[in-house]
Amino acid sequence: MRNQLVTTFIAALATTLSVPAECQIQFENVTNTAGDFHVGESWGSSWGDLNSDGLPDLYVGNHRELPSVYRNNGNGTFTNVISQVDVSQTWSNRPLADLHGGTWADFDRDGDQDLFVATGTCCQTQLFENQSGVLVDKTSALNIPDDGGGRMGNWFDYNLDGRLDIAIMNSGTSKLVKQKSDGTFVVVGNNSSGFKCTQFRSNYTQLSDINDDIGSGGAMEVMCMQDGTSPKKVYDTSSFPFQDITNSVPSFAPIVDTITGDFDGDLLPDMFMVRGSLRHNQAVKVNNKIVEARIQGPPGTDKVLSFSASGNITVEFDSRTLAKQGDTSRIFIGSNGTHPGNTTFVLNPNNNSHHGVKSHNPNNNHGLYIGLNTSSNEWEFHYSTGNGNSRGYFIITSANTIGTPNLSPLKGAEKPIASKLLVNGVSGLNEEAAAHGLNEKIKCVAATTGDFDNDMDLDLYLVCRGGAENIANILFENQGNGNFVKVTNAGEAKGKTGSAITDGAGTGESVSTADYDVDGFLDLYVTNGLNMQPLRVGGPDQLFHNLGNSNNWIELDLKGTTSNADGIGAKVYATAGGITQLREQTGGYHRWSQDHQRLHFGLAPYNSVNLTIYWPNGAVDHHNNVSANALYRATENGSIQKVTINTGGGPQPGDECGKPSYSNASPQALYIWKDCPNGKWHLRAVGGSSPSLLTYAGDITSDSNFNNVTVVSLEGADIVNTSDPKRIDYVLKMKNKGFDGFDFNVSGSAQTCFDPSTVPSNASVKLGGGKTQMSGSFDLNTLGACTN
């Protein structure tokens, strides 16, 4: 295929370099207006289509908390519908299920996308069949094996029978699982398949036609990616058993995430590799009186944190990083190694028993050894790992000034480190990061790629972090020839920065991309919940909307007929203005995350495009003069059709059901929800710890009488007036912590208009258990505009 397009490529490169520069890539942080997104641990995010409306929806595992399934409402907002879609109660009954990467795919060829979720050693992995927008647990019925410490399941059709199979990547021996003709699954033996990804923590696979043989009887290669040296294994899947071609792809360490794409425009897939440590060691001075530190090490490590401080210091230690909660037997203070009575304790520089550090052997002794070095007049915190991997997290505060902390020794991946770029050419894959502007030493953990400015090349976005603080994410803009330059403030998508705990920033964990509003420009979803200590403390998930520009675009959904339903394993070439671009349908997998499968091409000023699709089962389709600025569905051996999506949507019936999670200290908001089994409505106004007086006022009117109106927590200035049986007027006033409200019943068929006419400026109206954000008045029955 490449030889057929060499002439086109040469012209394309010359033309690309002469394309006038567009405005810089620009994003807008819409997190606070687009939905009630998760704050805490994350472990990746995955874009799919829950309700088959063509709008990208989102699964986020949240690791040890209840996962989130965000339905795209079509109006720029999302609703967490986990309570509605978990009809099997799989997640509700196991909210601490150690959830890892999720992946969407239409494995049963019924036209909607199903969901596979890998889990840790605690629990059985999960396969959910999508049935009209709800997720039914079919794990046992379809004979899905236990993943034994799963990290991610990656779908691909390895035997080209049109049915998607799955590689379950885990912390031990990964499994190739075949889908049989009856829709059930069976594990294919490693020896018979040649698929031997047995390394520690195989996080995900990468699919890519790195040897460029699709179109001549070949298939995509599958690469096994692990913590550390990657790729660990590379297999040519054109024949069975797979052929091990690992030696043909350079491997590097320490790799934390990889993405593939044709970055230099020569129609061969390249690979970008993010290097570093998943969880960094760091001590950060939050302000003049607070130091925050996270330390982790392999067996035999002794990390030393030192700093000066006048007067007493208070240490708050997360003991779960040493032993069971509340156990202080591995904290040793002074040369005699006395144990504190609690995991929060005070150290006094004038107390001789706090001087010196108890002798210890990092090869054998696991613990935190603390003492004042009287020679340097600095406190020293020795974190000794002993004979196992260990991590510690603590916050040190003082009434006086604390000096700049020093943490040593730091080496290798514990320091900033340059990424790698494997550029594909006639001699295979070669490392060329420095030659393409990607040799900066950075501290990043995840990446995604896409043509964010629609100028006909692939850009790079990286999520970065420290160990005890979050640092700015990075956006590299492709200059059209595979050379990259950094965009200031990541195009306003630099993310949440500051102390992981004190500022609530968390630590950067993952990113996935999708054009969630189908406006032709790729958006970003970033999670900040990487660190697991202190337990379940993480930063906010963030949604960045691409503001776009005047460049044109086209997007493409693939529908396989002989090939698998999602067309995973296909290659698409798009030619416009003499420039040809390559996209591979790889499933969108990278570490614990899944970019939306929809293929996106920026077209710069060009108004039409010629498409050539190489399907995994050998078919080749050509579609010429396809108009720009639209989404299309291409059917194998068939037509290409424009897809019209309703992007003016909003809340849907059922969103009103379920009690939202809130407390009297939650942010300012007006919550309204219905207990759907018994029909009772509830309204609560939350103060959000505001020191100023807040006023929530409005009315609810109906063509039927209200019944059983009951006030909740009202004080003297609050009003709930029911003198008219078909109207409730309310005025709820509060400040500081607390909530006021009332409950009521009304006929389910009645037109009932809720008009929250007065809401504090920093508050919003949130509906149902998913906390769907509402604006203006709306009918409680239809959730649409009031008609009376």
Side-chain angles (χ1 to χ4, degrees):
M1 179 65 201
R2 181 173 183 271
N3 291 334
Q4 300 170 19
L5 294 168
V6 167
T7 303
T8 304
F9 162 63
I10 294 173
L13 182 58
T15 307
T16 301
L17 292 174
S18 64
V19 172
E22 291 290 332
C23 59
Q24 207 171 55
I25 303 168
Q26 197 77 6
F27 291 93
E28 178 186 12
N29 186 351
V30 296
T31 306
N32 294 332
T33 57
D36 189 36
F37 296 113
H38 180 71
V39 177
E41 290 184 48
S42 43
W43 279 61
S45 60
S46 303
W47 291 96
D49 190 352
L50 172 69
N51 51 1
S52 303
D53 63 355
L55 291 166
D57 307 303
L58 187 66
Y59 165 84
V60 187
N62 303 336
H63 201 193
R64 289 175 288 189
E65 300 180 38
L66 193 68
S68 302
V69 177
Y70 296 109
R71 190 197 63 220
N72 191 332
N73 297 322
N75 60 355
T77 68
F78 291 80
T79 299
N80 185 3
V81 293
I82 182 65
S83 60
Q84 299 173 35
V85 303
D86 184 20
V87 295
S88 303
Q89 298 291 294
T90 301
W91 288 314
S92 300
N93 293 331
R94 288 194 321 193
L96 303 181
D98 194 19
L99 299 173
H100 296 169
T103 41
W104 299 89
D106 182 9
F107 81 86
D108 53 4
R109 304 183 67 94
D110 65 351
D112 55 27
Q113 289 199 306
D114 312 291
L115 180 64
F116 179 93
V117 177
T119 60
T121 55
C122 75
C123 310
Q124 169 70 43
T125 191
Q126 301 158 358
L127 176 60
F128 297 94
E129 182 182 86
N130 192 336
Q131 296 182 5
S132 301
V134 297
L135 300 175
V136 180
D137 192 337
K138 292 287 187 175
T139 305
S140 297
L142 298 182
N143 196 35
I144 297 297
D146 189 357
D147 51 12
R151 291 298 184 265
M152 195 170 185
N154 298 153
W155 298 96
F156 71 111
D157 181 10
Y158 79 86
N159 56 1
L160 301 181
D161 62 357
R163 293 184 291 270
L164 283 172
D165 313 298
I166 189 164
I168 302 178
M169 311 304 289
N170 60 41
S171 58
T173 300
S174 299
K175 299 179 178 69
L176 179 64
V177 184
K178 174 186 175 181
Q179 184 181 174
K180 300 192 298 183
S181 59
D182 63 359
T184 63
F185 291 80
V186 62
V187 176
V188 182
N190 291 340
N191 290 330
S192 62
S193 67
F195 183 77
K196 300 180 180 180
C197 294
T198 58
Q199 62 273 17
F200 176 65
R201 288 188 179 172
S202 298
N203 280 322
Y204 59 99
T205 65
Q206 282 279 9
L207 298 176
S208 184
D209 184 20
I210 57 177
N211 59 14
D212 194 35
D213 61 357
I214 290 179
S216 57
M220 283 193 178
E221 282 64 61
V222 58
M223 294 170 276
C224 301
M225 302 297 185
Q226 68 161 3
D227 289 353
T229 301
S230 279
K232 188 68 175 182
K233 288 289 185 181
V234 182
Y235 297 105
D236 186 334
T237 65
S238 301
S239 59
F240 193 83
F242 300 158
Q243 180 184 357
D244 189 333
I245 60 169
T246 304
N247 291 336
S248 67
V249 180
S251 61
F252 295 92
I255 304 300
V256 287
D257 200 9
T258 59
I259 49 175
T260 61
D262 177 17
F263 299 115
D264 59 358
D266 66 351
L267 306 180
L268 291 173
D270 312 303
M271 182 184 297
F272 179 75
M273 313 176 82
V274 186
R275 300 171 73 211
S277 171
L278 276 179
R279 296 178 178 86
H280 259 276
N281 290 314
Q282 187 185 31
V284 60
K285 187 174 180 179
V286 178
N287 56 44
N288 285 336
K289 297 181 179 181
I290 301 177
V291 165
E292 195 171 326
R294 185 189 185 281
I295 302 175
Q296 178 168 328
T301 300
D302 193 26
K303 301 286 187 188
V304 181
L305 168 65
S306 59
F307 59 91
S308 61
S310 57
N312 294 351
I313 60 173
T314 299
V315 180
E316 182 180 356
F317 191 78
D318 180 21
S319 67
R320 285 161 292 225
T321 57
L322 279 173
K324 64 182 181 180
Q325 185 174 359
D327 183 3
T328 62
S329 64
R330 291 183 179 174
I331 302 176
F332 305 87
I333 299 175
S335 57
N336 292 325
T338 58
H339 305 302
N342 200 298
T343 53
T344 299
F345 50 91
V346 176
L347 297 176
N348 185 343
N350 298 318
N351 186 334
N352 291 338
S353 67
H354 295 174
H355 293 177
V357 175
K358 180 179 174 62
S359 177
H360 58 279
N361 184 342
N363 292 310
N364 301 314
N365 302 129
H366 175 205
L368 177 64
Y369 297 81
I370 306 172
L372 180 69
N373 185 326
T374 54
S375 298
S376 63
N377 200 33
E378 289 189 327
W379 290 100
E380 292 184 1
F381 286 59
H382 292 244
Y383 193 82
S384 175
T385 61
N387 58 8
N389 285 284
S390 181
R391 50 184 172 255
Y393 207 110
F394 38 93
I395 298 175
I396 301 157
T397 58
S398 173
N400 304 305
T401 299
I402 294 181
T404 301
N406 178 61
L407 181 62
S408 64
L410 294 180
K411 52 189 177 181
E414 297 175 330
K415 297 179 179 181
I417 188 170
S419 303
K420 297 292 185 182
L421 179 66
L422 300 186
V423 177
N424 210 341
V426 294
S427 61
L429 289 160
N430 295 285
E431 204 291 305
E432 299 180 11
H436 292 270
L438 296 173
N439 60 331
E440 177 184 353
K441 292 183 177 180
I442 54 180
K443 293 196 295 184
C444 300
V445 70
T448 191
T449 186
D451 188 356
F452 296 118
D453 49 1
N454 285 354
D455 64 351
M456 307 184 79
D457 55 39
L458 292 175
D459 310 298
L460 292 166
Y461 180 87
L462 282 69
V463 171
C464 308
R465 81 288 174 251
E469 68 173 343
N470 222 9
I471 62 177
N473 300 330
I474 297 174
L475 174 63
F476 287 110
E477 184 179 358
N478 195 329
Q479 300 303 287
N481 55 359
N483 295 334
F484 293 86
V485 296
K486 187 186 293 187
V487 177
T488 303
N489 291 326
E492 303 306 321
K494 68 176 183 179
K496 181 80 170 176
T497 60
S499 159
I501 304 301
T502 311
D503 295 332
T507 49
E509 190 263 327
S510 73
V511 58
S512 59
T513 185
D515 177 11
Y516 73 80
D517 54 353
V518 200
D519 65 352
F521 289 86
L522 293 171
D523 311 299
L524 299 166
Y525 192 83
V526 174
T527 68
N528 294 290
L530 180 59
N531 280 350
M532 295 189 293
Q533 274 75 31
L535 189 64
R536 282 186 290 282
V537 172
D541 294 0
Q542 295 180 295
L543 182 65
F544 295 99
H545 178 245
N546 192 332
L547 295 179
N549 53 41
S550 61
N551 282 340
N552 296 325
W553 55 275
I554 191 172
E555 293 179 344
L556 191 64
D557 287 338
L558 301 182
K559 182 180 179 181
T561 53
T562 303
S563 300
N564 66 83
D566 291 346
I568 294 175
K571 295 173 70 172
V572 179
Y573 295 89
T575 302
I579 302 170
T580 299
Q581 301 177 70
L582 165 68
R583 297 291 185 271
E584 296 183 314
Q585 178 51 283
T586 65
Y589 314 129
H590 50 116
R591 181 180 51 77
W592 309 337
S593 295
Q594 183 181 23
D595 297 328
H596 196 215
Q597 289 185 6
R598 181 168 291 158
L599 301 179
H600 169 272
F601 295 88
L603 297 179
Y606 304 112
N607 296 316
S608 65
V609 62
N610 296 337
L611 300 172
T612 299
I613 305 172
Y614 285 76
W615 295 89
N617 281 41
V620 181
D621 291 335
H622 302 278
H623 305 287
N624 294 327
N625 297 315
V626 181
S627 297
N629 300 325
L631 165 66
Y632 294 87
R633 178 179 296 111
T635 301
E636 184 179 13
N637 289 316
S639 63
I640 184 168
Q641 296 179 322
K642 185 180 292 187
V643 178
T644 302
I645 292 178
N646 177 16
T647 57
Q652 300 179 17
D655 287 354
E656 74 276 17
C657 299
K659 181 179 179 180
S661 59
Y662 71 93
S663 69
N664 58 9
S666 294
Q668 302 170 20
L670 185 66
Y671 296 98
I672 184 167
W673 73 95
K674 184 179 181 181
D675 185 352
C676 288
N678 62 34
K680 181 177 285 293
W681 282 90
H682 310 266
L683 181 145
R684 299 291 184 272
V686 177
S689 302
S690 171
S692 303
L693 185 66
L694 304 177
T695 299
Y696 296 85
D699 61 71
I700 309 175
T701 57
S702 179
D703 58 9
S704 181
N705 288 346
F706 292 100
N707 298 303
N708 303 317
V709 180
T710 305
V711 299
V712 178
S713 300
L714 299 193
E715 293 89 26
D718 299 323
I719 298 172
V720 175
N721 185 346
T722 59
S723 57
D724 183 339
K726 295 183 179 180
R727 182 184 181 99
I728 301 174
D729 291 286
Y730 67 89
V731 179
L732 305 174
K733 297 186 176 183
M734 66 192 69
K735 63 179 179 179
N736 300 320
K737 297 179 180 179
F739 57 84
D740 299 333
F742 56 91
D743 304 332
F744 62 92
N745 286 94
V746 67
S747 170
S749 60
Q751 294 186 37
T752 304
C753 183
F754 173 47
D755 183 9
S757 57
T758 301
V759 177
S761 59
N762 293 328
S764 59
V765 178
K766 298 186 177 183
L767 175 73
K771 301 180 184 178
T772 302
Q773 294 197 165
M774 308 294 288
S775 59
S777 60
F778 59 93
D779 190 292
L780 295 185
N781 191 29
T782 66
L783 306 184
C786 296
T787 57
N788 57 352

